[in-house]
Amino acid sequence: MLGGAALTGLAAQLSVPVPGSPVPVTGQTFAALLVGTSLGAGRGFLALALYALAGLAGVPWFAGASSGVAPSFGYILGMILAATVVGALARRGADRSVWRMAGTMLVGEAIIYAIGVPYLALATGMSATAAIAAGLTPFLIGDALKAALAMGALPTAWKFANKR
C-alpha cells in the first residue's frame, strides 16, 4: 500500500500544464488504475487514501510537487473511488481478458471524471460546460493512453504485489 501511494506521488510529478485549465496532465490516473487493479479494492483504496491524506497533510507529492486542497483535488478523490472499483472488478475476473480490462479501465476513468469535473466547477465557480471544457475534454486521449499503459504494466505490478 505504501508502494502504491508512492507510485501515485511519483506519477503526479509527471505534470504538464494544460492551457486554459487549472488541471495539469499527470501520471496519477495511470498509477491509480494500476494500483487498484493490482492491489484489489481494499488495499487499492488504502493506498490512494494514504496518498490523498499525506498530500493534505503537506507532503508535496500532488501534481507539480504541491500539497493541500486545490481545484483539481476532486480528481484525487475520484482516484480513490476508481482504485476501489477497478480493484473490485479485477477480483471478479475483469482482469482476465483484454476487453474486460479495457472496460474496467474505462469505468475507472469515468469515476475520476464524475467526481473531478463537478468538484472543479464548484471550486472555481465555472459553469458545467466550462468545467467539462477545461477538466475533461483536453484529457480524454491522454487518459485512454494511460489506461492502456496501466493494462500493459499490470503483469509486472502483480509480481510486485505477489498476486500472480
Side-chain angles (χ1 to χ4, degrees):
M1 291 177 285
L2 290 173
L7 174 65
T8 307
L10 287 171
Q13 302 320 302
L14 301 171
S15 178
V16 177
V18 175
S21 176
V23 181
V25 171
T26 70
Q28 289 167 298
T29 306
F30 161 81
L33 296 173
L34 183 61
V35 166
T37 54
S38 62
L39 295 181
R43 293 189 307 158
F45 169 82
L46 290 173
L48 270 291
L50 174 62
Y51 168 70
L53 290 173
L56 287 173
V59 175
W61 64 357
F62 291 163
S66 66
S67 62
V69 178
S72 60
F73 189 70
Y75 296 92
I76 294 170
L77 295 174
M79 288 177 213
I80 296 170
L81 181 57
T84 305
V85 170
V86 299
L89 292 171
R91 291 301 165 258
R92 288 173 176 77
D95 59 350
R96 304 296 186 260
S97 79
V98 171
W99 291 112
R100 284 189 282 176
M101 193 72 251
T104 298
M105 295 294 184
L106 182 63
V107 167
E109 294 280 0
I111 290 168
I112 294 167
Y113 287 123
I115 296 172
V117 173
Y119 187 99
L120 177 65
L122 289 172
T124 62
M126 289 181 182
S127 68
T129 303
I132 289 168
L136 171 68
T137 308
F139 302 94
L140 292 175
I141 293 172
D143 278 348
L145 177 61
K146 288 184 271 184
L149 290 171
M151 288 172 54
L154 195 52
T156 302
W158 280 326
K159 290 178 185 174
F160 282 109
N162 296 319
K163 290 290 173 191
R164 298 272 188 260

